Amino acid sequence: MKKQTLTLALLVFSTAAMLAAAGCKKQVEQTPEQDQGPERNPTTEASGEVFVTNGTWTARVNGVTRYTGTDYIAAIQAACNNLTAGRTSKETVTIKNSGSSGNSGGAIKAVNIPSYTILDFVGTTFNCNSNDLLIVPVQGDRKTQIEVRNLRVTGNPRYGIWFKGCSNMVLSNITMSLTAGLGIRVDHSTAATSNLTINGNINISGSGTHAIETYGVDGFNIGSVTCNNTGGCAVLLNQSRNGSVGTVTGSYNNNGGGYATFRVANNNGPNVTCAKVYSRNSGRGFFSVSGSNGTTVTTVDIANSTSHGIFLEDASNTRVNGGTVSGGHPNVQHVRTTSCRTAVNGQVYTAANGTW
């Protein structure tokens, strides 16, 4: 009897131990936190969203409605204004539908992006349809850590994007098909401006003046851009230094005028590089002027400029290291240059003054 009791106790103890071990194993093998659906990962969530239903715009932040009404710009602004106050990391507003600006009311009307904010338009279109040049789809003034992604702009903005006195700016995948105005402008009109990145698919056409312009930017990385049928330059750098530009592809940039597909001006530089200038039927192909210093263009493919193919005027330490120029008037000219070198069409030109 005692032997049977002892055997039964051992059996109960062994079974309990196996169950406990199985329980521990089950806890160890539960689904990891990061695999429990995208909603568990905050990087996949927009902090704010803006959408339209039957003509009514709604702005929500973290699921709370912050605006309903008919004003597209006001809805985006409401989402921006209700993100986390005093934040030191970026939060995102996703604009899910295309919209139109409406009339300006006689003053600049814009979405003013706060610091530490990403505006993601996810390929939707901001149509500027005011009867004047006073709409700015996205404006930033003395802000930092700001991004605009996947934006399409149509119509007649004053500027498609205007950042002034800002730092740590990123523009990605920007397309503009304009009837007037300037595409992207980044300047130091209100404070020092630094660290600009423009990347992804950048395609701007139809601007009344320049497609992309900087003034007073210290530190920039502009990728490859395509800018056609512009009233001014495809890319114009003024008083900007320590940066790089990829391939600038442009046609009919200020055709018949004096602007160029790629221009550096107003004491631009030093330490500026451009990988390539591809220019067709523009006023000029590459133009360095008014005290600009220290720009190097790796190669050019410039044809049928209505004025110069390459024009270096009042420039120093400027280089074009290879490529071809044809159909210019003339192809190459140096005026009042210092330590400049243009190597195109199998020839090298270093004279301070001359026409070739």
Side-chain angles (χ1 to χ4, degrees):
M1 185 68 177
K2 289 182 179 180
K3 184 176 181 181
Q4 290 179 343
T5 302
L6 180 61
T7 301
L8 180 61
L10 289 172
L11 179 62
V12 169
F13 177 79
S14 176
T15 302
M18 291 175 63
L19 288 172
C24 292
K25 184 176 181 181
K26 183 177 182 181
Q27 288 177 347
V28 170
E29 292 181 349
Q30 69 182 356
T31 303
E33 178 77 11
Q34 64 267 31
D35 292 336
Q36 292 182 12
E39 70 278 1
R40 300 304 298 251
N41 184 352
T43 62
T44 67
E45 291 186 82
S47 300
E49 58 178 352
V50 176
F51 58 91
V52 67
T53 305
N54 297 324
T56 298
W57 287 96
T58 299
R60 289 180 183 161
V61 177
N62 296 330
V64 178
T65 298
R66 298 297 187 176
Y67 174 89
T68 57
T70 59
D71 193 319
Y72 170 61
I73 291 177
I76 301 171
Q77 194 66 60
C80 291
N81 293 350
N82 285 281
L83 298 174
T84 305
R87 62 191 175 277
T88 56
S89 59
K90 292 177 183 177
E91 294 183 352
T92 302
V93 173
T94 302
I95 298 89
K96 296 184 174 181
N97 301 101
S98 301
S100 294
S101 66
N103 284 326
S104 69
I108 292 289
K109 183 178 181 182
V111 174
N112 289 286
I113 186 172
S115 293
Y116 295 98
T117 301
I118 300 168
L119 290 179
D120 191 346
F121 287 82
V122 295
T124 62
T125 298
F126 192 124
N127 179 36
C128 304
N129 64 338
S130 183
N131 56 13
D132 51 29
L133 288 172
L134 291 174
I135 302 297
V136 181
V138 182
Q139 176 177 257
D141 185 1
R142 288 162 287 187
K143 306 303 179 186
T144 189
Q145 299 293 345
I146 52 179
E147 295 189 36
V148 180
R149 300 175 178 171
N150 308 312
L151 169 64
R152 297 177 181 271
V153 180
T154 58
N156 60 335
R158 183 184 185 94
Y159 305 110
I161 296 172
W162 186 16
F163 290 161
K164 47 189 176 179
C166 295
S167 63
N168 303 312
M169 304 155 278
V170 180
L171 305 175
S172 301
N173 300 324
I174 308 296
T175 300
M176 299 187 185
S177 181
L178 308 179
T179 57
L182 191 152
I184 297 170
R185 179 176 168 96
V186 180
D187 67 50
H188 66 335
S189 58
T190 58
T193 299
S194 62
N195 297 333
L196 167 68
T197 298
I198 300 178
N199 59 26
N201 178 33
I202 308 296
N203 194 312
I204 300 174
S205 64
S207 58
T209 176
H210 313 301
I212 300 171
E213 181 180 21
T214 70
Y215 214 121
V217 178
D218 187 357
F220 56 91
N221 183 354
I222 300 172
S224 295
V225 302
T226 299
C227 309
N228 299 320
N229 301 303
T230 61
C233 300
V235 175
L236 170 56
L237 307 178
N238 298 292
Q239 203 176 317
S240 299
R241 61 187 181 183
N242 301 320
S244 63
V245 182
T247 297
V248 181
T249 299
S251 63
Y252 292 94
N253 305 127
N254 196 222
N255 179 271
Y259 286 121
T261 295
F262 179 49
R263 181 181 191 244
V264 293
N266 298 307
N267 300 301
N268 197 73
N271 191 27
V272 173
T273 63
C274 175
K276 182 176 182 177
V277 177
Y278 178 93
S279 178
R280 293 291 185 272
N281 301 299
S282 298
R284 290 173 170 135
F286 170 52
F287 187 15
S288 178
V289 67
S290 55
S292 293
N293 167 53
T295 294
T296 297
V297 178
T298 302
T299 189
V300 299
D301 183 345
I302 298 169
N304 302 324
S305 303
T306 55
S307 185
H308 302 75
I310 295 173
F311 189 23
L312 309 185
E313 181 183 20
D314 188 23
S316 60
N317 300 303
T318 300
R319 307 278 189 274
V320 177
N321 287 336
T324 60
V325 183
S326 62
H329 304 282
N331 283 335
V332 179
Q333 185 171 10
H334 292 187
V335 175
R336 301 187 308 279
T337 63
T338 304
S339 300
C340 290
R341 180 180 186 272
T342 301
V344 293
N345 300 342
Q347 302 292 324
V348 178
Y349 311 105
T350 58
N353 297 282
T355 300
W356 301 278

